[in-house]
Amino acid sequence: MSSSTVITNIATLITNDPSLSDTDPLGTVRNAAVVLEGDRVAWTGEASKAPATDNRVDAGGRAVIPGFVDSHSHLVFAGDRTEEFHARMSGRPYGAGGIRTTVAATRAATDAELEANLTRYLREALRQGTTTFETKSGYGLTVEDEARALRIAAAHTDEVTFLGAHVVPPEFAEDPAAYVALVTGEMLDACAPHARWIDVFCEKGAFDGDQARAILTAGRARGLRPRVHANQLTYGPGVQLAVELDAASADHCTHLTDADVDALAQGGTVATLLPGAEFSTRAQWPDARRLLDAGATVALSTDCNPGSSFTSSMPFCLALAVRDMGMTPDEALWSATAGGARALRRDDVGRLAPGAYADLAVLDAPSHVHLAYRPGVPLVTEVWHRGVRVN
């Protein structure tokens, strides 16, 4: 039988368990404790009522939150794009074509180099409280390179996404229809066994609505669930397509019509906002307030990638969402935890309630509000993953 541990003397415990309160979606418990048994949460509540356990950990009056759920990242790559970033910050706008620079470096890298890079950024994210992450292929764009990216990613997470439709690679520049045929045929055959999701960059300069529909439909026929890079750089069909195909998420959602907002509010697709991309490209911020007020479900994620959002820090993205996207600190924390879980269609992460995985972060602060109140400060002092302290 697995041993049990109580983490007690918690100033504020965020559970994201709505059953604890009719008015507080964060399910906040003050002067709290949480009991871990094996890799799961066994009990939450006031510290004075905690059951007996085998082990006891004193949180020292700190806040405890669910581990962050980063539902959108691109971590299987080689090289970086420092020069591109420097030039862009000097006035050159971001375009989808920059992805091809990373494609060349990734194709040239060995499996060992790609895995070392991936694990480096995973450790970096874990130190900042991320305990669940999704990551994509998309920097290989050949059958072999896409498949190996997914194999490498699948060794580290269950949330693996096939993004062969990131951009059209240079060798297919004159015949994008042939590349779509490759993505929906031989490449999909090679990649589907290693992935849970299929994604497409539905954007001017990448794939149009008809191409995106064909790719997502083919993936869904192979058992992959759709998600969409939608409406990042321009208004377009991505959001509507995501909702129509019951995609788990439409990601970016920067340029939205009223019809797009209504579709997200009425459908089951989560609007995943990626403020690191807007920060790093000096682009227009997504309007989280507009989405939330309409009733849409919103997630926050890092979009960690070497071109447009080279950050693995969920606390940083949370602070940006509060400062520049109209979210309250409570909404931002929910979106970075439970919202991310919704975007992955998971109910066993992103919350601290009995039966959920024992994934949590201890903050060197009495309240989660400090994540936005003290931006840039490394407040995550402990991380527990599946019931084990890992940082």
Side-chain angles (χ1 to χ4, degrees):
M1 183 175 179
S2 58
S3 64
S4 58
T5 298
V6 62
I7 303 175
T8 190
N9 193 18
I10 300 170
T12 53
L13 172 66
I14 303 301
T15 67
N16 287 338
D17 182 356
S19 71
L20 296 177
S21 172
D22 293 333
T23 59
D24 175 16
L26 294 183
T28 306
V29 183
R30 304 187 187 283
N31 302 315
V34 56
V35 174
L36 317 180
E37 188 168 316
D39 62 357
R40 303 279 177 162
V41 175
W43 180 91
T44 60
E46 296 177 13
S48 62
K49 300 176 182 177
T53 58
D54 301 313
N55 306 294
R56 184 179 185 275
V57 175
D58 190 331
R62 296 178 173 90
V64 171
I65 63 172
F68 294 117
V69 179
D70 191 346
S71 61
H72 182 127
S73 73
H74 304 251
L75 298 180
V76 185
F77 67 88
D80 70 20
R81 279 149 60 189
T82 304
E83 293 182 4
E84 176 188 317
F85 175 81
H86 186 267
R88 187 167 64 239
M89 291 299 102
S90 303
R92 187 173 74 196
Y94 168 66
I99 293 167
R100 296 182 179 92
T101 303
T102 302
V103 169
T106 302
R107 288 178 176 180
T110 66
D111 288 11
E113 289 168 338
L114 292 177
E115 185 157 29
N117 207 43
L118 170 66
T119 55
R120 171 190 174 189
Y121 294 115
L122 293 182
R123 289 193 298 268
E124 185 178 278
L126 184 67
R127 289 195 299 270
Q128 298 172 89
T130 298
T131 52
T132 301
F133 75 97
E134 177 269 3
T135 201
K136 309 175 193 295
S137 65
Y139 291 127
L141 309 185
T142 67
V143 172
E144 179 182 353
D145 285 308
E146 286 295 291
R148 73 169 178 146
L150 294 171
R151 285 196 304 270
I152 290 167
H156 298 275
T157 181
D158 294 331
E159 303 299 343
V160 179
T161 301
F162 169 44
L163 183 60
H166 203 178
V167 294
V168 175
E171 60 268 29
F172 285 90
E174 301 304 316
D175 193 1
Y179 185 66
V180 172
L182 179 68
V183 171
T184 57
E186 183 183 355
M187 189 181 289
L188 178 60
D189 290 340
C191 291
H194 308 292
R196 182 183 182 205
W197 306 98
I198 186 166
D199 198 347
V200 60
F201 190 7
C202 184
E203 185 62 66
K204 184 178 180 180
F207 298 88
D208 64 25
D210 290 340
Q211 292 169 328
R213 182 190 303 279
I215 291 163
L216 294 171
T217 301
R220 193 167 62 175
R222 289 297 305 273
L224 302 182
R225 305 177 187 186
R227 45 199 330 111
V228 182
H229 280 63
N231 301 53
Q232 177 188 4
L233 306 177
T234 57
Y235 293 96
V239 164
Q240 296 287 342
L241 181 62
V243 174
E244 175 193 332
L245 297 180
D246 190 30
S249 65
D251 299 31
H252 288 289
C253 294
T254 306
H255 298 275
L256 301 180
T257 65
D258 288 345
D260 293 332
V261 174
D262 289 344
L264 288 165
Q266 295 169 16
T269 298
V270 173
T272 299
L273 308 184
L274 310 168
E278 280 69 39
F279 177 87
S280 298
T281 60
R282 289 181 176 161
Q284 173 184 321
W285 297 102
D287 190 345
R289 184 80 269 137
R290 181 184 179 198
L291 287 161
L292 290 165
D293 288 349
T297 300
V298 172
L300 288 175
S301 187
T302 64
D303 191 21
C304 187
N305 75 83
S308 60
S309 183
F310 205 3
T311 180
S312 60
S313 175
M314 288 288 280
F316 173 66
C317 292
L318 184 151
L320 291 179
V322 172
R323 168 62 179 80
D324 290 304
M325 289 163 44
M327 301 186 86
T328 69
D330 287 5
E331 290 167 339
L333 180 64
W334 189 94
S335 295
T337 52
R342 293 271 187 96
L344 296 175
R345 297 199 166 162
R346 298 274 297 271
D347 61 8
D348 56 353
V349 295
R351 62 192 186 102
L352 294 174
Y357 279 116
D359 296 345
L360 59 90
V362 181
L363 307 181
D364 191 15
S367 166
H368 68 282
V369 177
H370 282 234
L371 291 167
Y373 180 41
R374 305 193 67 210
V377 177
L379 293 178
V380 175
T381 187
E382 291 180 24
V383 180
W384 294 66
H385 182 239
R386 303 290 170 90
V388 177
R389 182 176 175 181
V390 293
N391 186 49

